[in-house]
Amino acid sequence: MSIGDKLRELNALLDDFEQADSNDKGRDLLVARRFENNGGVGEEDVEYEFKRIKVDGDIAAELEGLVRDKVDNKVSALNNDTKRIAKYDIQNRHKDEDVIEYEPVENIPQFERFERLFEGQRFSSTRYTESPKPEFQAIRVSHENLDDPIIAFINYSRRQILGRTSWLRMKVGSETHRKVDDSLLGIPNRLDAVYYDGTVFVFSHTKFENAFGYMDAYKENAEEMLTELEDGDIPFDDFQMFSEAVRGNPNALRLLQEVKERGVYEDMDLEDASLVREEFDTDLEFDEREDGTLTITMENKLDVWKVLRFFNDDHLNSPITEQGYVSLAKEDAGE
């Protein structure tokens, strides 16, 4: 079965579940809270606690409907050739083309943190307003004929709790607004990812990374990469500024991960630095030492993007115009 057919199979199952007896299926709204032990970022230092939000039957049906509608929209786009399906790749976030990504669970970093979600375990109840704030929420749809549940993931935002800081909260009526003492909760009209039969279908690239702990993996990889770059053939005038800029920005960590996966940096040397300085109209600065060698310089931490684009081999020449460009979404055009 192709991966596209697997998504279509999921769509058909959700359609069948709409008519299924509620006694034969389960529909849970779950939240995940993140806990760090000893202040570390390593795999052994992070845990997720999963708990259930109590909802009535009408809300449960609406949540199931949200999953069904969003999956159906993706399948319709796939069938109409307005979207294509592609393996998850960190570089897809740069591309204009709208893709449905997929990732087998065995490729997800630290997937063991999430395994309890997929085992049909019953969790104790909680509220959204308990501390710490949820990292993400999940809609879990199970059926007696399924070996494991279907799970939809939605990143959490504090903005979901409506009126949280308002002095006066009112419910909008057709004619008269009335006071509401409790905060109101909203669920976003979107899905960021859906799990089915060993595969996670990714509908929002960045939110998927946030929910599934990719940033933790990027932070760990960054430490290895920073050591390699510091010990590399191209010296920095102030490597500490560069390393602090990378560690302090999630998008810089993502771009450093791209640098790692492309691997071009491993063979770069001072000749490459000279080539970029001479051939491209770039604001990446290289200072020349007394011995004639070049060092990468940064005026401030914002220059981290120029440095990372250099190591990611993002400088390209057009064979048509002979113009130099910075390209963030490179496709292999063949030889």
Side-chain angles (χ1 to χ4, degrees), residues 197-291:
D197 190 27
T199 300
V200 176
F201 293 95
V202 181
F203 298 166
S204 173
H205 182 99
T206 300
K207 290 184 172 65
F208 161 73
E209 289 181 339
N210 290 339
F212 276 92
Y214 277 74
M215 291 309 302
D216 292 329
Y218 296 164
K219 289 176 184 176
E220 292 178 12
N221 291 335
E223 296 308 312
E224 299 177 11
M225 280 291 297
L226 289 171
T227 299
E228 288 188 46
L229 292 177
E230 186 175 21
D231 296 339
D233 293 333
I234 305 176
F236 285 73
D237 183 55
D238 186 349
F239 191 81
Q240 182 175 350
M241 179 185 292
F242 172 70
S243 61
E244 289 177 354
V246 169
R247 293 187 181 106
N249 191 305
N251 286 327
L253 288 168
R254 288 186 175 96
L255 187 49
L256 186 61
Q257 181 68 21
E258 289 186 38
V259 173
K260 177 181 175 65
E261 292 183 7
R262 284 185 59 78
V264 177
Y265 75 96
E266 295 176 330
D267 299 319
M268 295 177 72
D269 54 27
L270 287 172
E271 289 186 8
D272 298 306
S274 298
L275 176 66
V276 169
R277 187 174 70 161
E278 294 170 4
E279 297 292 332
F280 291 88
D281 182 16
T282 174
D283 49 7
L284 176 62
E285 296 290 339
F286 296 93
D287 276 352
E288 189 167 338
R289 292 174 172 173
E290 292 183 359
D291 62 0

Side-chain angles (χ1 to χ4, degrees), residues 31-35 49 51 126-135 156 158 161 164:
V31 294
R33 291 186 169 92
R34 175 189 174 107
F35 294 89
E49 177 187 73
K51 289 193 175 182
T126 187
R127 294 177 298 150
Y128 275 90
T129 52
E130 290 183 10
S131 295
K133 73 175 183 64
E135 286 291 309
Y156 171 78
R158 287 187 182 274
I161 302 180
R164 185 184 183 93

Side-chain angles (χ1 to χ4, degrees), residues 9-218:
E9 180 181 76
L10 169 60
N11 189 41
L13 277 175
L14 290 167
D15 284 342
D16 291 342
F17 288 171
E18 184 177 12
Q19 307 301 324
D21 192 310
S22 59
N23 292 326
D24 296 334
K25 60 185 176 182
R27 296 165 298 187
D28 296 316
L29 176 60
L30 307 170
V31 294
R33 291 186 169 92
R34 175 189 174 107
F35 294 89
E36 293 189 10
N37 299 323
N38 303 320
V41 296
E43 174 184 346
E44 69 280 4
D45 298 313
V46 176
E47 297 179 359
Y48 281 100
E49 177 187 73
F50 302 102
K51 289 193 175 182
R52 177 174 54 91
I53 300 293
K54 292 182 179 179
V55 296
D56 64 23
D58 290 339
I59 293 177
E62 291 287 342
L63 294 172
E64 181 186 342
L66 175 65
V67 180
R68 182 169 52 252
D69 291 345
K70 297 306 177 185
V71 171
D72 185 69
N73 289 342
K74 298 298 182 184
V75 170
S76 295
L78 187 64
N79 291 339
N80 294 330
D81 295 325
T82 56
K83 290 184 187 291
R84 69 178 180 89
I85 204 159
K87 184 77 170 59
Y88 167 81
D89 188 322
I90 191 172
Q91 295 193 45
N92 283 338
R93 67 192 181 98
H94 297 307
K95 297 177 181 178
D96 292 333
E97 184 182 12
D98 199 359
V99 300
I100 304 168
E101 295 181 277
Y102 70 94
E103 184 77 313
V105 294
E106 58 266 22
N107 294 344
I108 295 177
Q110 295 95 35
F111 182 72
E112 61 272 11
R113 297 177 184 172
F114 312 93
E115 285 179 331
R116 287 183 298 140
L117 277 179
F118 303 88
E119 297 169 351
Q121 182 176 339
R122 192 72 171 171
F123 299 104
S124 60
S125 62
T126 187
R127 294 177 298 150
Y128 275 90
T129 52
E130 290 183 10
S131 295
K133 73 175 183 64
E135 286 291 309
F136 63 86
Q137 54 220 319
I139 303 169
R140 186 171 63 179
V141 180
S142 56
H143 192 275
E144 60 179 12
N145 294 331
L146 282 179
D147 292 332
D148 53 0
I150 297 162
I151 304 178
F153 297 88
I154 310 171
N155 270 237
Y156 171 78
S157 168
R158 287 187 182 274
R159 288 176 294 183
Q160 289 181 222
I161 302 180
L162 310 178
R164 185 184 183 93
T165 59
S166 301
W167 169 69
L168 178 63
R169 294 180 290 280
M170 295 183 292
K171 182 178 180 180
V172 178
S174 57
E175 296 181 358
T176 303
H177 292 31
R178 64 181 180 84
K179 181 181 177 182
V180 177
D181 291 327
D182 296 328
S183 295
L184 302 177
L185 173 69
I187 299 295
N189 185 27
R190 71 165 199 273
L191 300 182
D192 299 324
V194 177
Y195 166 85
Y196 171 63
D197 190 27
T199 300
V200 176
F201 293 95
V202 181
F203 298 166
S204 173
H205 182 99
T206 300
K207 290 184 172 65
F208 161 73
E209 289 181 339
N210 290 339
F212 276 92
Y214 277 74
M215 291 309 302
D216 292 329
Y218 296 164

